[in-house]
Amino acid sequence: MKLNRRHFMAASAGVAATTLAAPHVYAASHGGKPKVVVIGGGAGGATAARYIAKDADGAIDVTLVEPTRTYYTCFFSNLYIGGFRTIESLAHSYGTLASEYGINVIHDYAVGVDRDAKTVTLAGGDTLPYDRLILSPGIDFVDGSVPGWDVTKQNAMPHAYKAGSQTELLKAQIEAMPEGGLFAMVAPPNPYRCPPGPYERVSMVAHLLRDINPTAKILIIDPKEKFSKQGLFEEGWNNNYPGMVERIGPDFGGNNVSVNADEMTVDIDGSVEKVDVCNVIPAMKAGIICEAAGINDGNWAPVSPHTMQSRADENIYVLGDASAQGDMPKSGFSANSQAKVAAMSVRAALTDSKMFPAKYSNTCWSLIDTDNGVKVGASYEATDEKIASVESFISQPGEDAALRKQTYEESIGWYEGISADIFG
Amino acid sequence: MTRPGPVVFAAFYLALVAPAAGQSGFGDAEAGAKVFRKCFSCHMVGPDAFNRVGPHLNGIFGRRAGSLEGFKRYSDGLKRMGADGLFWDFDALGAYIENPKAFASDTRMNFDGLDDPQERADVLAYLRQFSASPANIPEAAPTAMPREVELSEDILALQGDKDYGEYLSSECTTCHQLDGDDQGIPAIIGWPSEDFVVAMHAYKEKVRPHPVMQMMAGRLSNEEIAALAAYFEGLE
Ligand SMILES: Cc1cc2nc3c(=O)[nH]c(=O)nc-3n(C[C@H](O)[C@H](O)[C@H](O)COP(=O)(O)OP(=O)(O)OC[C@H]3O[C@@H](n4cnc5c(N)ncnc54)[C@H](O)[C@@H]3O)c2cc1C
């Protein structure tokens, strides 16, 4: 007999539900145990699925929908480019979530949400009923934000802003650059995932080029006046990669750029530049399933700061990059932090478990050069209007080498910690 | 260039203003020489001092924690605090010698600590004589009382709610692993809850230097710290 995992899971979870410790369950709208469907098995979605399954002890059916079998973390993907990590070290699978937490993992892509019927439609044709729906689909790109570029051009001009093959491609292109060649990055406008991400990437590209192609140059074309950890990055580039990095901000036309992927050229405010590698990071919006669910306001899905529930539909939660929540940066740390609040709220809504006040925090590490890490972080509280920053800290320019090394080592500990917290 | 850990020094000056005005509880260096006998099996001071079980303590005021070149047996915890920007001052020294294990959980200083505030003040006044006009220490400092983490009996007696602790712990597990792995970030499971409470208050009151942990602990109430201590104590 071929054991169908979905049936098997349902059966074993049923056993757990009869144990004494199982929490009391409120009525489910589709009959049977209450059902939670999570769309997106990334930093937000996988954390939420794991916490709900773990703490509900089988009283809630948790289904996780994620198209890929292997999730490559964007966090630390720049370190792969710099040569500090292998691509395999960024890979995570869903095996533990299924086997240890009884989560029903479906590898498919959600294409529609019927909010009245409370069902999700999958590209494979299945329809999943839910009592609560969690959307953590990450980002998609805004069409036309960099004229000349769309996703069909992503092999010539990679974004590498969803990790995996894109990241490998970008690194291979950098390694193949001619001696003294030019790497260009079209940086994104706010808001976008991982505010220091593009600039950490520049540091890691510079690190790689310093070893293999020291006369190569890096050009950042940036629509923003200023950027995250700017003082720290600029100090690092000056000290460690002198003369290599140039940035064109909006005052010199950085906000008026188009590309030609066939010619490998970049047009900056009318002057055309030939480039060897072009990393286009377009403007971003919430993963398109949010639009399909009709819960967006503009490009993002607004949420209640107390619970991460969509402002448009209290049965839907939106986590991570896709949500418009206030002051938290779009980061893996934030998504993980928000997922725990949402998990608690979902459990309180579907079982008799307790609801505590929401607490959020974030820390983002960036690597500038070998053993030269910096960090920025903040804690947040929920107000009625938004998730508001309470307290923050940032590494200082001129810190000594011992502290920078320690900061880098901490970031490695964090990567291990958050990976275990997301994927079990 | 050395960096005066910005946060530490902010706390340091704050701590000094009050006692200097009060003029009470000055340490007595002569009495301190006697107290130092408790340290002498491991530490030397004076012209011919060398490292024994512990590092020599000449110039300890203003020295970066865990940084003496030539002393090879520092614990990771003390080295980490040094790297974070902890320079020994009255506050930090007072906290450390009061309860070494609570201050740096994995410390190699195998010493129970000095409970009596007067003894601590005295021994520090004695040690102060072997730190030649340390640039970072204001002149009023030698006579000021250490302001270690003062925890009332009430705070230590608080019974933590484990369930609440488990909920709160989800904020910690982004960095601290529940299986006790401690790559880059220390493990915090299975500690006696009192040590845990003291360590958390040391961050909260900024006696311990780390900015992330100062922020995390800074917004936890006494009850929440007790709840976390109760929860993490039960894990192994
Ligand atoms: C270069 C780079 C560096 C970064 N560095 C850091 C860092 O150091 N620290 C940090 O905290 N953050 C960092 N980030 C940001 C971090 O990766 C994201 O903020 C985080 O992954 C957001 O989590 P999420 O759950 O919102 O989305 P994701 O983690 O992207 O997960 C979304 C998942 O949903 C799936 N999905 C999308 N649509 C559907 C659908 N319709 N149906 C089913 N599944 C779907 C996708 O396949 C994906 O697996 C970095 C990002 C980049 C690009």
Side-chain angles (χ1 to χ4, degrees):
Chain A
M1 189 192 97
K2 206 167 141 242
L3 199 64
N4 174 321
R5 200 183 62 234
R6 279 166 73 181
H7 290 143
F8 174 69
M9 283 308 162
S12 61
V15 173
T18 61
T19 61
L20 282 176
H24 177 262
V25 169
Y26 301 137
S29 57
H30 300 275
K33 281 193 281 179
K35 293 178 178 53
V36 173
V37 173
V38 182
I39 306 297
T47 306
R50 190 174 84 88
Y51 271 78
I52 294 171
K54 170 170 81 71
D55 295 331
D57 260 336
I60 298 177
D61 249 353
V62 183
T63 300
L64 177 63
V65 183
E66 163 62 48
T68 64
R69 279 167 201 276
T70 305
Y71 175 86
Y72 290 92
T73 57
C74 277
F75 30 105
F76 274 26
S77 66
N78 289 327
L79 275 62
Y80 158 75
I81 294 174
F84 295 91
R85 301 286 289 210
T86 61
I87 196 83
E88 295 78 32
S89 76
L90 308 178
H92 301 272
S93 72
Y94 297 93
T96 312
L97 292 180
S99 64
E100 272 185 36
Y101 297 91
I103 295 166
N104 179 16
V105 180
I106 299 180
H107 292 296
D108 205 335
Y109 187 80
V111 289
V113 176
D114 183 335
R115 281 162 45 192
D116 295 326
K118 295 210 248 172
T119 57
V120 177
T121 320
L122 305 184
D126 281 352
T127 300
L128 303 174
Y130 65 81
D131 293 290
R132 293 293 182 280
L133 176 65
I134 298 181
L135 300 179
S136 193
I139 51 105
D140 275 302
F141 300 115
V142 175
D143 285 339
S145 71
V146 179
W149 192 94
D150 61 47
V151 285
T152 65
K153 306 285 176 0
Q154 70 177 11
N155 287 343
M157 295 186 166
H159 52 81
Y161 235 63
K162 297 181 182 186
S165 54
Q166 273 281 304
T167 324
E168 289 180 290
L169 178 65
L170 183 64
K171 183 172 184 178
Q173 291 182 352
I174 298 166
E175 285 169 339
M177 268 167 66
E179 202 184 315
L182 180 62
F183 170 97
M185 168 189 281
V186 179
N190 289 321
Y192 60 97
R193 75 169 17 165
C194 195
Y199 311 97
E200 181 188 54
R201 173 167 298 165
V202 165
S203 311
M204 291 294 94
V205 172
H207 179 83
L208 176 61
L209 289 173
R210 191 181 57 193
D211 280 350
I212 62 172
N213 192 347
T215 54
K217 296 274 184 275
I218 298 174
L219 178 65
I220 311 169
I221 304 139
D222 203 332
K224 302 182 293 299
E225 295 277 338
K226 47 192 177 61
F227 59 89
S228 170
K229 303 184 195 166
Q230 183 160 1
L232 296 167
F233 281 118
E234 288 179 344
E235 176 195 57
W237 298 338
N238 279 335
N239 292 345
N240 297 24
Y241 314 110
M244 198 181 242
V245 183
E246 189 195 340
R247 175 170 172 271
I248 299 180
D251 35 353
F252 292 95
N255 54 354
N256 179 19
V257 60
S258 65
V259 298
N260 183 328
D262 300 325
E263 306 287 326
M264 283 304 285
T265 56
V266 179
D267 180 327
I268 308 160
D269 214 16
S271 82
V272 176
E273 187 101 33
K274 181 99 182 78
V275 301
D276 296 294
V277 176
C278 191
N279 176 203
V280 176
I281 310 178
M284 295 172 207
K285 60 179 183 182
I288 49 176
I289 189 68
C290 292
E291 219 169 304
I295 56 170
N296 277 6
D297 177 10
N299 283 335
W300 309 97
V303 294
S304 154
H306 298 286
T307 57
M308 302 302 294
Q309 275 162 301
S310 162
R311 297 265 197 202
D313 185 336
E314 63 174 19
N315 296 320
I316 300 182
Y317 293 73
V318 188
L319 307 180
D321 295 353
S323 64
Q325 32 69 22
D327 294 347
M328 294 183 83
K330 298 185 186 302
S331 73
F333 200 122
S334 298
N336 170 268
S337 169
Q338 294 159 5
K340 294 164 189 172
V341 170
M344 174 178 59
S345 167
V346 165
R347 285 196 304 117
L350 298 178
T351 71
D352 60 354
S353 76
K354 269 194 254 172
M355 179 80 195
F356 298 106
K359 265 192 177 167
Y360 304 96
S361 57
N362 177 63
T363 301
C364 279
W365 285 268
S366 302
L367 187 60
I368 292 175
D369 197 349
T370 308
D371 287 337
N372 187 350
V374 291
K375 65 188 167 203
V376 56
S379 59
Y380 303 86
E381 67 184 12
T383 66
D384 290 338
E385 180 211 346
K386 63 172 185 176
I387 298 183
S389 168
V390 191
E391 197 190 335
S392 66
F393 65 84
I394 181 165
S395 297
Q396 297 302 308
E399 285 172 345
D400 58 46
L403 179 56
R404 289 294 175 89
K405 177 165 190 281
Q406 167 149 311
T407 302
Y408 171 57
E409 284 166 2
E410 261 168 49
S411 73
I412 298 173
W414 165 78
Y415 186 89
E416 296 306 318
I418 195 171
S419 299
D421 204 40
I422 297 171
F423 296 103
Chain B
M1 194 193 87
T2 54
R3 177 191 74 109
V7 194
V8 183
F9 278 93
F12 178 64
Y13 287 119
L14 271 183
L16 289 175
V17 181
Q23 298 289 304
S24 63
F26 290 179
D28 171 353
E30 240 168 85
K34 290 202 190 94
V35 179
F36 192 71
R37 288 180 194 151
K38 298 187 181 177
C39 325
F40 194 66
S41 56
C42 302
H43 293 288
M44 296 175 73
V45 277
D48 302 318
F50 51 87
N51 297 328
R52 297 171 63 172
V53 177
H56 76 67
L57 297 179
N58 289 341
I60 188 68
F61 282 85
R63 189 160 100 195
R64 188 189 278 276
S67 73
L68 192 66
E69 267 182 52
F71 185 72
K72 301 287 177 223
R73 288 183 306 278
Y74 281 117
S75 60
D76 288 344
L78 222 53
K79 279 192 290 197
R80 204 168 51 225
M81 283 189 214
D84 284 342
L86 180 74
F87 293 80
W88 288 119
D89 56 32
F90 271 91
D91 286 355
L93 284 168
Y96 183 50
I97 64 176
E98 180 188 9
N99 189 343
K101 290 265 179 310
F103 188 82
S105 54
D106 65 345
T107 185
R108 296 230 168 100
M109 172 147 124
N110 206 345
F111 175 67
D112 283 346
L114 295 175
D115 284 340
D116 180 351
Q118 192 60 49
E119 281 195 353
R120 294 198 294 273
D122 291 346
V123 80
L124 292 181
Y126 170 71
L127 285 175
R128 178 67 172 73
Q129 300 174 331
F130 301 94
S131 290
S133 55
N136 303 341
I137 308 267
E139 264 321 298
T143 45
M145 275 283 282
R147 189 206 61 150
E148 66 284 355
V149 209
E150 281 298 358
L151 293 184
S152 67
E153 291 299 318
D154 298 353
I155 292 181
L156 287 172
L158 272 179
Q159 278 301 323
D161 172 348
K162 264 194 193 172
D163 288 343
Y164 189 37
E166 179 170 7
Y167 161 66
L168 293 170
S169 76
S170 70
E171 199 176 13
C172 321
T173 51
T174 310
C175 296
H176 295 284
Q177 295 187 57
L178 284 178
D179 66 6
D181 203 40
D182 66 348
Q183 227 189 352
I185 293 182
I188 57 171
I189 59 172
W191 286 29
S193 65
E194 189 170 316
D195 292 0
F196 194 98
V197 168
V198 174
M200 292 302 282
H201 282 277
Y203 287 119
K204 192 175 157 95
E205 293 177 21
K206 302 197 189 317
V207 175
R208 278 192 178 202
H210 201 272
V212 174
M213 282 308 302
Q214 287 181 351
M215 185 180 82
M216 300 304 298
R219 62 178 181 152
L220 293 170
S221 67
N222 296 342
E223 285 74 19
E224 288 172 328
I225 289 177
L228 283 160
Y231 172 68
F232 280 111
E233 180 177 32
L235 300 178
E236 36 190 277

